[in-house]
Amino acid sequence: MNGSKPQRPPMLYVDDSASDRALVAHLWSEVSDAPLVALEGGEDLLDYVERCAVGEEVWPALCLLDLNMAPMNGLETLDAIGDRGRSCPFPIVVFSTSSRPEDARDCMTHGARGYLVKEIDLKGLRRTLAACHGFWIDLVEPPPSNGLAGNEGSSTAD
Amino acid sequence: MPAQWVLVVDDNLADARLAQKLLAPSGGPTVACEHARSAAEAYARLLPDGEGRAPGDPPSLILLDLSLPGTGGLEILEVLRADPGLRSLPTVILSSSLAPADVEAAYRLGATAYVRKPANLEEARRIFRGIADFWLGASLRWRTA
């Protein structure tokens, strides 16, 4: 039923490191046919969300958000999106080199849907990105109100 | 660190057994699952009892069916999200309904993600592998404690 989705919404990758953006973009193209949009920081993500809200951009299927960024870090970015007054219409998963459980808990309580440790080695990083594709791009139904749902009119079953 | 486990909330025994059998990250062993057939069984495993005693370590992931006898999945989700310890626990709706009203309501009440229930064994392998690779493989084990 994957073919029922009219278009593939992008995956956003937000990271202030140009080398990490380039590496993730390269590996993502190996594991996913969904387009990747790389953004340089939290401010760029807020701008992107504003453009989605007015229909200038397509809502993403997933956003991977770096935690340690300047001037606006990942937690501040999550808070800023939460402050828009409604829950975020797309999933944000924090993607950080920190493996501290406290960081994971903080991010989840600030609205992240998940927390991934950024692997250092290429094989691990590719496997992590493939897992993101396999769940968030391939399996997850987006909220109908963000205009991504590809199964309109399906009847209630179960 | 406590072992990872998954709570499967589904009144259909065959569906729950299939999840238990197939929830394994690529190249890894299957993950321990517990099965709750109703809201009462799910609450008993997740929420403090009447005397305030904690029920033990929370699961790494909850797979929640919407259509249950009595209290439905959406009501369960609402109760879990009202509990400070369970508010952020990854809770994936696994339902055969793709009715927009169901999907919308699940996200509004705080579902982590909404996934269509597999219709056959081939789909089940793909869906449970995808769930396991992200939540039980790539994702950092995350605790509410």
Side-chain angles (χ1 to χ4, degrees), chain B residues 41-106:
Chain B
E41 288 187 9
Y43 296 159
R45 195 60 189 84
L46 295 168
L47 298 170
D49 65 16
E51 322 237 312
R53 284 187 295 251
D57 290 318
S60 308
L61 174 69
I62 299 172
L63 294 180
L64 178 59
D65 190 16
L66 290 188
S67 175
L68 299 166
T71 304
L74 290 176
E75 282 176 78
I76 295 175
L77 182 61
E78 199 167 13
V79 168
L80 300 186
R81 289 318 194 211
D83 183 279
L86 300 172
R87 187 165 294 152
S88 308
L89 190 76
T91 302
V92 172
I93 304 298
L94 196 58
S95 171
S96 52
S97 165
L98 286 187
D102 284 341
V103 182
E104 191 77 55

Side-chain angles (χ1 to χ4, degrees), chain B residues 6-30:
Chain B
V6 177
L7 182 65
V8 179
V9 185
D10 195 325
D11 62 315
N12 184 315
L13 187 60
D15 285 355
R17 281 196 175 140
L18 196 60
Q20 288 174 330
K21 193 170 154 87
L22 296 178
L23 268 175
S26 300
T30 55

Side-chain angles (χ1 to χ4, degrees), chain A residues 1-2 104-105 108-109 113 115-117 131-132 134-136 139-145 151-152 154 156-158, chain B residues 65 67 88 96 98-100 102-104 107 112-114 116-117 126-127 130-131 133-135 138-140 142-143 145:
Chain A
M1 292 296 283
N2 282 344
R105 277 196 290 270
M108 301 291 273
T109 54
R113 302 260 192 107
Y115 186 96
L116 294 171
V117 175
C132 288
F135 183 72
W136 294 101
L139 297 183
V140 171
E141 290 296 321
S145 57
N151 296 284
E152 305 285 347
S154 296
T156 301
D158 218 6
Chain B
D65 190 16
S67 175
S88 308
S96 52
L98 286 187
D102 284 341
V103 182
E104 191 77 55
Y107 281 116
T112 304
Y114 196 109
R116 185 170 59 90
K117 245 188 188 182
R126 185 175 68 85
I127 287 172
I131 291 171
D133 277 350
F134 185 82
W135 291 107
S139 190
L140 179 75
W142 176 79
R143 310 293 299 169

Side-chain angles (χ1 to χ4, degrees), chain A residues 98-111:
Chain A
S98 165
S99 57
R100 297 171 66 236
E102 299 81 8
D103 283 338
R105 277 196 290 270
D106 274 355
C107 290
M108 301 291 273
T109 54
H110 282 73

